[in-house]
Amino acid sequence: MPVVNVRMSSLSASFPSIQLNEIIEKLPYVGLDIEGIDEDSGIIKVEFNPNRPDYSSEKGILRALKGLLEREMGLPIIKCIENTDYVIGISDTVTDIRPVICGVVAKRPDPLNEYEISQLISMQEDLHNGIGRKRKKSSIGLHDLDPILFPLSYTTVSKQFSFIPLGEHIESTVGDILNSFEVGKEYGYLVNKGPKYPMLIDAQKNVLSFPPIINGNLTKISFNTKNLMVEVTSTSDKSAQDIISILSFELHDMGFSLFSVRVNSPFDNQTKTTNLNPLKLMASVDYVNKVLGLDLSCEDFIKSLEKSRCSGKIMGDIVECYIPRYRTDVFHPVDIAEEVAIGYGIYRFNTSSPSLSMSANKNTNSLIFNSIREVLIGLGFIEIINTNIISRKILNDFFIQGQNNDLVSIANSKNFDSEVLRNSVIPSMMMTLSKNIHEKYPQKLFEIGKTFQIENSRLKEEWSLGVVIAHNDTDYTEIKSTLESLIKYCFNKSIKTPKVNFKHYLEGHSAKILYEENDVGDLGEISPQAIENFKLRTLVTVFQINLDLLMGMLNLKKLKYL
Amino acid sequence: MSIDDNSNKTDTFSNDFTMDSTNIPLHPIEKNILSILLHSGGLWTAENQLIEKSKLSIDQIRRGVEWLKFKNLIAIKDSSDFEISLKQSNIINNDFVLPERKLINCVKKGKKTITDILKSDEFDSNNKEVFASLKFCKQNSWIDIKNNSVVLLPNSENLSEEEKLIKKLLKSKSLKHSSLNESEIASFELLRNRPGVLDIKKNRNKEYAISDFGVSVFNKMIHGVDLERKLTAEHLISGKWRDLKFSQIDVEAPLPLLSYGKKNPLVDFIDEVKEILVGMGFSEIEGDLVQTSFWNFDALFIPQDHSARDMQDTFYLKPSQSIVSPLPDENIVKSVSKIHQQNWHYEWDVLESKSYVLRTHTTPVTIQYLAKEKPESDKVFLIGRVFRNEKASFKHLVEFHQVEGIFTSKEANLRQLMGIQTEFYNKLGIKKIKFWPTFFPYTEPSLQSMVYNDKFDKWIELFGMGMFRPEVTLPLGVKNPVLAWGGGFERLAMLRFDLNDIRELYSNNLTWLKGVPKCLL
């Protein structure tokens, strides 16, 4: 989750009558996680959830906190002055690339200070990664307004088109930027379908930005910047509007006056202008009370909404709720319920116990597996657990010759030893033996776990039991007698063990396990080559059983009591 | 019965079935040694202990044990060992730095080319030392050499196996060779061949124990009778026991523990928690570890371009033409796709939803249960494996367990969810609980719970919870509100087993497995 720095000094300044620790204690109750508090620098690091991109700045967080602490309630006030000069024309060539653009202009007598610039840049970063989906959906350009001559044109250019990119002194072509700039290499794939590339240029053909890659250098923001132009290009109208709203509220709180930007779109012949009006949603007090288990009056309901920086108008049983435009996560009455809960204060909720009594039980597998465990423990075995994901090397070391065509592999692992899903529990159990060579022998282990393979174009996931015995005198007799004891003591059944040869068993010392003529597993003495591959210095015997198969045949899908 | 009561009765019998122990003369030195060995509780006694206890000289002891051995009265075991320590002269400022580490430090100070390193104060133009150090650095994968200059690799921050042994030696001054583990022995072998590193001293040592015959000779000598060491079945059946005297054993001597079979501690703890949940009226359900993206994400209202679905966090199975991945009933797919497009404003792709993932949470199992049963009211839970494509660390595992429960009824509400969670925590012995708002894509309202841990004296984040969004339940045909809660199980397990490194739970270290007590006190 992204992190924002909140300064203790701003908290104290915003809530002069409340103790600092009391303010900090309330931060989690607006949905923030305190990651760390640095007393020396007076900074509280907080994490915010992806549903609240408006928390990507200190001002956004203060806005919510002021509601909960009843310093400022209801919809935050914002004003956007209608303006007909700031116009962007969209060329229809961008349709297939990145069709949406919108913007806002912000003006102030004082230039931006260092802290404000860093806040805007870190917000831009968080918004890019969050609702911008790493610029794929939306990307933001922040510009100095003064060098721009309106109207702007959002259009496309060829790969040979050149301009001076942000932070550079000489011109580069679009092709150069895509091939040799870091941002070009990272985000180029979003527009690099050729032969046309999106470009935002002004009336004098100067470049504002090459979205979503890089801005032009002309409109670079500095400590002298007093007037700003913000644009968002996107594949989704809603996402672009969401981002403009969040940034508009931030700039408004920084003391800027906002002016609307008109966008003339060719496809629907529509003119759109910056829209910061609150969203409207209907919800009934009854429904919200039912969801929360509360009994709020209409007045309490409205007050709770206002503490969440929303507002409401009572219309009979229904409340017309208004939500500030920067909230991107409120679109269903259940979302209103959450706003009410947070405004009411989660700390004020009394827990209640539901009176639904049900007769409950563990599932059959859990019960049968526990019976198997009990018998094996009685026979002196210790239970181990290994991971389902293992390396090919372990499998190859065990099965000696790759018989692993039906293995289920993982497409994208970060760990070199996580490559495939195991098709047998035994190889990882051999690893366990190998890790315990300093421990006392005999070592007698078992594991109950899932195994995976592809069979007839279907992925098969089955429960499997593995049993291993390691010491200098273990042999086929010992492992077979363990197997027969388990089957007899657990199910009062017997099995047959016809001879079979596998590379990982000593030739002539291994067998299939047949239950009523069905192959449910195998057993034997592990081949010296496999033992050596696991760097063991003692003998190993094993058996493994497909539990799903065996339990199916024993008709154990449901446990019987009588 | 005391030994003296009928001392003369045993005489005639004992000679019949033991070796003749009457005619063996013992020297006072031998008697002294035998007496000490007899009272050692069946354990081996080292030569120095013998000297200490007997107050005899080393020569007397050595002579005595030779005689005793010749008479088969004692057993001898050679337990010589090497005492390993660091060469004192090379310990500087309480630290012992191998040349290869010196080289790393030198590079860190900015001396990157081999010539610079050679000329550095540390190496003082010692050609041989520099090249040896380079060799060791490369063996440890600490460095790469490019264009005659040294590039540090991330591994150079880690101690080599040799350094680990040296660190241990620094701490404990000296180590016995017999106490080293496999990798330490390997490091020892490497270091012993390097000049100026180790001092190795051989400690010759022998250990002694009294033989059964020795016991009988000694008893005969002391008590004038043959004493039996053990009651045997033969004594019992033949009735000889009536005439026998038995020697006193050391009933206080410590003995080794027996090996035993046991359940894995994590599985055992999971089972205890299952019992708690069953006791609260929740029934257990189960489901596959491999899930389609449809159930793991789409059905949970997680948009297809959401970062949680990134290859960064989720394990995807290699797509293969040969595996068919089944989607549910067409109506469910349709309404899920519609809800995504309406609310998230993007083109929903059915192919994306067919990709197989290793489940990132247990919720796909829960909602498939809901989709199938469509219960009016129900309480179910599961505890199962989940997967995250992360680098494993002391805090994170690639595979771990999640516990999850749901409650549905016509009247289900948020306060009840908090109540269920509180009851569950109370049963685990957790008394102080806080709830905070949070966010999950598939629940609304959503909360997270913080619990107070007395042992660490701090608040710990535990389970998340919420009410399934209508966008999740409606396409499945579930009408009543569903309360859901869950989270990582290993967090609880680390508290239970007092672990700092989560990986220990899966290390299968037999000493640990056997050492975890069955009952927590």
Side-chain angles (χ1 to χ4, degrees):
Chain A
M1 289 199 292
V3 174
V4 173
N5 290 340
V6 176
R7 295 166 300 177
M8 291 181 183
S9 55
S10 337
L11 289 181
S12 305
S14 303
F15 308 99
S17 57
I18 309 175
Q19 289 284 321
L20 184 62
N21 60 343
E22 219 173 298
I23 310 167
I24 295 173
E25 262 172 36
K26 284 291 183 298
L27 281 169
Y29 290 104
V30 295
L32 293 161
D33 269 355
I34 297 174
E35 208 207 43
I37 297 179
D38 184 348
E39 302 276 356
D40 296 338
S41 57
I43 297 278
I44 305 161
K45 283 192 177 307
V46 297
E47 285 185 327
F48 65 96
N49 284 308
N51 66 322
R52 292 301 298 266
D54 57 304
Y55 284 165
S56 56
S57 78
E58 184 187 272
K59 289 196 184 327
I61 289 168
L62 286 174
R63 217 179 288 137
L65 213 50
K66 281 175 183 167
L68 189 66
L69 291 169
E70 303 187 22
R71 285 268 305 161
E72 265 176 32
M73 285 159 59
L75 293 170
I77 295 158
I78 193 155
K79 209 172 112 192
C80 188
I81 299 157
E82 278 298 319
N83 184 295
T84 48
D85 297 335
Y86 304 128
V87 176
I88 305 175
I90 303 186
S91 142
D92 57 9
T93 51
V94 297
T95 315
D96 301 329
I97 308 171
R98 205 171 174 83
V100 175
I101 188 165
C102 59
V104 71
V105 162
K107 295 185 188 179
R108 188 174 85 172
D110 312 320
L112 285 168
N113 64 36
E114 193 182 344
Y115 177 74
E116 288 170 332
I117 291 182
S118 75
Q119 279 286 290
L120 286 173
I121 288 172
S122 104
M123 272 184 97
Q124 182 183 23
E125 203 48 37
D126 288 340
L127 293 169
H128 272 163
N129 290 333
I131 46 177
R133 303 280 190 248
K134 300 210 167 83
R135 305 194 192 183
K136 190 176 173 195
K137 204 167 193 174
S138 300
S139 60
I140 304 159
L142 298 170
H143 306 277
D144 186 345
L145 176 74
D146 297 340
I148 302 173
L149 195 68
F150 281 86
L152 306 183
S153 161
Y154 179 41
T155 181
T156 53
V157 296
S158 75
K159 211 169 194 162
Q160 285 73 42
F161 180 88
S162 65
F163 65 98
I164 305 176
L166 185 66
E168 303 291 322
H169 302 290
I170 49 163
E171 292 199 347
S172 298
T173 64
V174 166
D176 281 346
I177 292 171
L178 292 175
N179 291 329
S180 50
F181 280 55
E182 277 309 314
V183 279
K185 284 188 245 174
E186 192 172 352
Y187 300 106
Y189 78 101
L190 294 170
V191 289
N192 210 352
K193 287 158 222 141
K196 293 280 178 192
Y197 300 87
M199 200 64 64
L200 181 63
I201 49 185
D202 80 350
Q204 285 177 308
K205 303 272 181 253
N206 286 320
V207 168
L208 272 72
S209 70
F210 168 23
I213 315 291
I214 194 165
N215 280 1
N217 197 51
L218 180 74
T219 56
K220 185 178 171 180
I221 287 176
S222 68
F223 297 127
N224 300 320
T225 308
K226 296 173 183 166
N227 303 321
L228 287 166
M229 149 83 195
V230 184
E231 43 87 11
V232 175
T233 57
S234 177
T235 57
S236 143
D237 200 41
K238 180 177 183 297
S239 169
Q241 302 272 3
D242 286 347
I243 292 177
I244 280 293
S245 312
I246 293 164
L247 289 168
S248 296
F249 274 87
E250 177 72 13
L251 291 168
H252 175 267
D253 287 2
M254 283 181 176
F256 283 87
S257 305
L258 304 177
F259 298 87
S260 69
V261 171
R262 239 168 228 282
V263 177
N264 295 323
S265 164
F267 350 102
D268 38 13
N269 273 327
Q270 264 188 1
T271 300
K272 282 185 186 151
T273 163
T274 319
N275 179 1
L276 303 175
N277 296 332
L279 310 160
K280 194 168 87 180
L281 200 60
M282 310 300 270
S284 88
V285 179
D286 192 44
Y287 168 77
V288 168
N289 273 333
K290 228 186 123 222
V291 167
L292 301 180
L294 294 178
D295 190 19
L296 297 178
S297 65
C298 287
E299 290 69 37
D300 287 342
F301 182 98
I302 302 282
K303 188 179 178 195
S304 300
L305 266 185
E306 287 178 343
K307 286 173 74 178
S308 282
R309 302 314 306 260
C310 302
S311 71
K313 232 194 281 171
I314 301 161
M315 307 179 74
D317 310 340
I318 302 284
V319 177
E320 196 171 82
C321 306
Y322 294 95
I323 303 109
R325 183 60 190 80
Y326 58 80
R327 292 298 299 272
T328 62
D329 58 327
V330 183
F331 43 82
H332 187 281
V334 77
D335 299 311
I336 295 290
E338 185 169 272
E339 293 311 308
V340 171
I342 291 173
Y344 178 75
I346 298 292
Y347 43 88
R348 288 170 66 192
F349 275 68
N350 292 318
T351 63
S352 94
S353 296
S355 59
L356 177 67
S357 70
M358 309 265 302
S359 90
N361 50 270
K362 290 194 208 171
N363 76 353
T364 313
N365 276 352
S366 288
L367 296 167
I368 303 285
F369 293 173
N370 270 350
S371 304
I372 293 172
R373 284 189 181 104
E374 197 173 307
V375 173
L376 284 168
I377 290 165
L379 294 170
F381 286 80
I382 293 180
E383 181 180 276
I384 57 168
I385 45 173
N386 281 296
T387 55
N388 293 280
I389 310 177
I390 60 174
S391 70
R392 277 179 200 280
K393 181 175 184 307
I394 293 180
L395 288 179
N396 290 337
D397 280 349
F398 182 72
F399 290 113
I400 298 174
Q401 270 180 356
Q403 49 99 305
N404 300 329
N405 297 330
D406 328 322
L407 277 183
V408 182
S409 353
I410 287 167
N412 58 320
S413 170
K414 279 186 194 146
N415 299 302
F416 71 93
D417 53 352
S418 311
E419 299 167 296
V420 291
L421 294 177
R422 60 181 179 176
N423 60 352
S424 159
V425 289
I426 304 291
S428 21
M429 299 183 77
M430 292 290 283
M431 264 319 279
T432 304
L433 290 177
S434 163
K435 278 189 265 177
N436 281 293
I437 46 175
H438 311 298
E439 301 284 336
K440 222 167 90 183
Y441 287 98
Q443 293 176 5
K444 298 165 79 178
L445 311 175
F446 76 98
E447 176 168 2
I448 295 175
K450 285 267 175 95
T451 55
F452 302 81
Q453 54 193 323
I454 298 164
E455 201 181 277
N456 300 329
S457 299
R458 289 267 167 185
L459 189 86
K460 266 182 100 180
E461 183 178 323
E462 289 164 315
W463 285 107
S464 185
L465 164 70
V467 169
V468 306
I469 302 175
H471 62 90
N472 285 342
D473 299 312
T474 188
D475 57 9
Y476 186 82
T477 312
E478 185 181 15
I479 195 70
K480 188 181 172 193
S481 120
T482 304
L483 168 67
E484 290 190 334
S485 309
L486 171 70
I487 302 292
K488 177 78 181 164
Y489 299 152
C490 209
F491 307 116
N492 196 25
K493 295 285 179 196
S494 56
I495 40 100
K496 283 190 205 142
T497 56
K499 192 165 149 183
V500 73
N501 274 329
F502 289 123
K503 283 271 184 235
H504 54 279
Y505 286 128
L506 182 67
E507 205 183 332
H509 293 237
S510 58
K512 275 200 280 201
I513 305 173
L514 289 191
Y515 176 73
E516 287 179 349
E517 308 312 317
N518 284 294
D519 186 350
V520 294
D522 48 74
L523 80 160
E525 298 174 15
I526 297 296
S527 81
Q529 181 63 63
I531 293 179
E532 206 177 273
N533 290 349
F534 284 90
K535 300 191 170 55
L536 293 169
R537 304 176 141 270
T538 191
L539 306 185
V540 183
T541 57
V542 312
F543 72 77
Q544 60 175 340
I545 295 180
N546 180 328
L547 289 177
D548 278 325
L549 217 59
L550 180 67
M551 284 165 59
M553 275 181 294
L554 292 169
N555 214 0
L556 270 178
K557 286 290 153 199
K558 204 160 165 54
L559 195 71
K560 286 184 202 133
Y561 290 96
L562 291 172
Chain B
M1 226 189 283
S2 84
I3 296 169
D4 295 20
D5 277 351
N6 43 10
S7 46
N8 31 10
K9 278 191 188 167
T10 38
D11 239 338
T12 45
F13 275 104
S14 60
N15 286 342
D16 291 343
F17 58 90
T18 57
M19 270 219 258
D20 182 7
S21 53
T22 47
N23 300 324
I24 295 187
L26 291 177
H27 186 273
I29 289 179
E30 291 178 298
K31 283 187 196 163
N32 192 341
I33 294 172
L34 271 189
S35 159
I36 290 164
L37 295 183
L38 182 72
H39 294 104
S40 67
L43 299 173
W44 291 89
T45 305
E47 192 172 69
N48 51 353
Q49 289 172 284
L50 216 46
I51 295 169
E52 197 181 304
K53 288 186 182 165
S54 65
K55 314 269 187 268
L56 295 169
S57 76
I58 186 160
D59 287 337
Q60 288 171 312
I61 293 283
R62 286 189 177 161
R63 229 178 306 138
V65 299
E66 276 310 308
W67 299 332
L68 289 166
K69 192 189 161 201
F70 180 73
K71 294 172 187 166
N72 278 330
L73 299 178
I74 60 166
I76 302 179
K77 188 169 83 174
D78 185 4
S79 60
S80 298
D81 203 345
F82 291 102
E83 178 115 5
I84 307 159
S85 56
L86 293 168
K87 277 242 189 309
Q88 281 303 317
S89 52
N90 285 334
I91 298 182
I92 296 158
N93 292 336
N94 274 330
D95 200 5
F96 190 101
V97 181
L98 286 174
E100 55 264 39
R101 179 59 66 189
K102 204 162 83 182
L103 188 132
I104 296 292
N105 294 339
C106 194
V107 176
K108 277 190 184 162
K109 281 188 203 154
K111 305 210 163 56
K112 296 224 155 62
T113 68
I114 301 200
T115 339
D116 280 352
I117 294 169
L118 202 51
K119 283 189 200 143
S120 68
D121 294 345
E122 287 92 337
F123 286 98
D124 197 19
S125 301
N126 185 341
N127 243 322
K128 237 173 137 184
E129 196 182 12
V130 170
F131 287 107
S133 305
L134 286 170
K135 187 184 86 185
F136 287 120
C137 282
K138 288 198 87 170
Q139 278 172 4
N140 293 339
S141 310
W142 283 353
I143 58 161
D144 242 353
I145 298 178
K146 278 186 191 141
N147 308 329
N148 218 25
S149 83
V150 177
V151 182
L152 292 189
L153 300 175
N155 215 14
S156 62
E157 296 295 325
N158 300 335
L159 293 184
S160 66
E161 290 302 320
E162 291 96 304
E163 284 181 307
K164 284 182 196 159
L165 179 62
I166 286 176
K167 214 170 155 201
K168 199 165 166 187
L169 280 168
L170 265 174
K171 215 169 137 196
S172 52
K173 301 283 180 262
S174 76
L175 291 170
K176 289 212 166 96
H177 184 267
S178 58
S179 71
L180 301 184
N181 65 30
E182 187 110 318
S183 70
E184 287 166 349
I185 288 174
S187 309
F188 165 72
E189 292 299 334
L190 291 172
L191 288 175
R192 75 184 300 181
N193 294 326
R194 294 174 62 171
V197 183
L198 297 181
D199 263 332
I200 303 163
K201 216 167 69 194
K202 182 163 182 177
N203 283 337
R204 290 183 190 284
N205 198 13
K206 285 188 173 167
E207 291 182 311
Y208 309 97
I210 192 163
S211 67
D212 282 353
F213 184 49
V215 173
S216 110
V217 168
F218 189 80
N219 283 333
K220 173 89 184 177
M221 180 187 73
I222 299 294
H223 306 290
V225 290
D226 270 345
L227 289 184
E228 288 300 327
R229 230 184 167 183
K230 257 177 101 93
L231 176 65
T232 66
E234 197 200 334
H235 297 153
L236 193 70
I237 294 157
S238 64
K240 279 178 187 163
W241 61 273
R242 290 173 210 283
D243 305 310
L244 289 177
K245 298 292 291 172
F246 293 91
S247 69
Q248 304 283 301
I249 58 165
D250 181 354
V251 293
E252 285 180 288
L255 292 167
L257 295 177
L258 300 176
S259 68
Y260 75 130
K262 77 179 293 194
K263 218 164 163 175
N264 184 277
L266 182 62
V267 176
D268 206 14
F269 184 36
I270 287 174
D271 221 35
E272 288 174 0
V273 172
K274 284 182 183 175
E275 294 292 346
I276 290 178
L277 289 167
V278 168
M280 287 170 63
F282 288 83
S283 280
E284 189 187 10
I285 58 171
E286 199 201 326
D288 286 343
L289 303 184
V290 177
Q291 295 282 347
T292 55
S293 287
F294 182 85
W295 286 117
N296 197 72
F297 297 122
D298 293 293
L300 291 168
F301 200 50
I302 302 173
Q304 293 187 328
D305 60 357
H306 194 280
S307 59
R309 297 176 74 143
D310 273 3
M311 304 278 271
Q312 291 300 315
D313 305 313
T314 304
F315 283 114
Y316 284 83
L317 296 190
K318 230 173 224 162
S320 144
Q321 296 295 324
S322 62
I323 321 182
V324 183
S325 81
L327 283 190
D329 177 309
E330 208 178 305
N331 288 328
I332 295 186
V333 178
K334 253 192 205 153
S335 48
V336 165
S337 114
K338 205 173 125 197
I339 271 179
H340 273 250
Q341 316 214 37
Q342 263 172 16
N343 290 296
W344 297 125
H345 310 273
Y346 72 100
E347 284 298 315
W348 190 81
D349 181 4
V350 68
L351 272 181
E352 171 66 35
S353 75
K354 279 186 169 178
S355 57
Y356 268 128
V357 300
L358 295 179
R359 67 184 187 199
T360 57
H361 49 178
T362 44
T363 317
V365 178
T366 315
I367 53 158
Q368 280 173 87
Y369 173 84
L370 286 173
K372 189 163 162 258
E373 304 291 335
K374 303 188 186 7
E376 285 276 313
S377 53
D378 209 347
K379 294 156 96 169
V380 297
F381 80 96
L382 78 158
I383 304 179
R385 221 58 91 84
V386 296
F387 304 80
R388 297 284 162 86
N389 193 2
E390 288 186 18
K391 273 246 167 263
S393 71
F394 74 101
K395 257 165 80 177
H396 296 290
L397 287 169
V398 168
E399 277 187 61
F400 56 100
H401 287 83
Q402 203 167 55
V403 51
E404 167 164 339
I406 55 160
F407 173 99
T408 180
S409 86
K410 199 153 184 268
E411 308 296 331
N413 62 49
L414 191 68
R415 284 204 303 128
Q416 291 181 341
L417 178 56
M418 294 161 90
I420 292 168
Q421 200 63 181
T422 304
E423 185 188 349
F424 177 62
Y425 284 150
N426 287 343
K427 293 204 173 194
L428 282 169
I430 296 168
K431 294 280 184 278
K432 280 159 91 177
I433 304 148
K434 280 199 282 208
F435 296 95
W436 288 344
T438 190
F439 169 74
F440 303 107
Y442 44 94
T443 56
E444 185 87 3
S446 309
L447 297 175
Q448 71 180 47
S449 55
M450 304 293 293
V451 303
Y452 188 74
N453 182 272
D454 300 319
K455 206 155 43 183
F456 298 119
D457 193 22
K458 65 171 186 188
W459 290 91
I460 295 171
E461 185 183 337
L462 267 186
F463 300 146
M465 71 204 78
M467 300 171 73
F468 278 142
R469 294 194 66 100
E471 290 88 345
V472 173
T473 48
L474 290 181
L476 309 179
V478 175
K479 299 209 171 50
N480 286 334
V482 182
L483 313 177
W485 52 268
F489 191 87
E490 275 74 359
R491 232 166 231 262
L492 290 177
M494 284 172 78
L495 295 178
R496 159 73 179 252
F497 301 121
D498 234 339
L499 298 176
N500 296 318
D501 187 336
I502 196 167
R503 290 169 296 195
E504 280 183 59
L505 287 168
Y506 292 82
S507 69
N508 290 323
N509 173 329
L510 289 182
T511 304
W512 184 74
L513 289 178
K514 290 180 193 169
V516 176
K518 181 81 183 160
C519 299
L520 188 69
L521 301 182

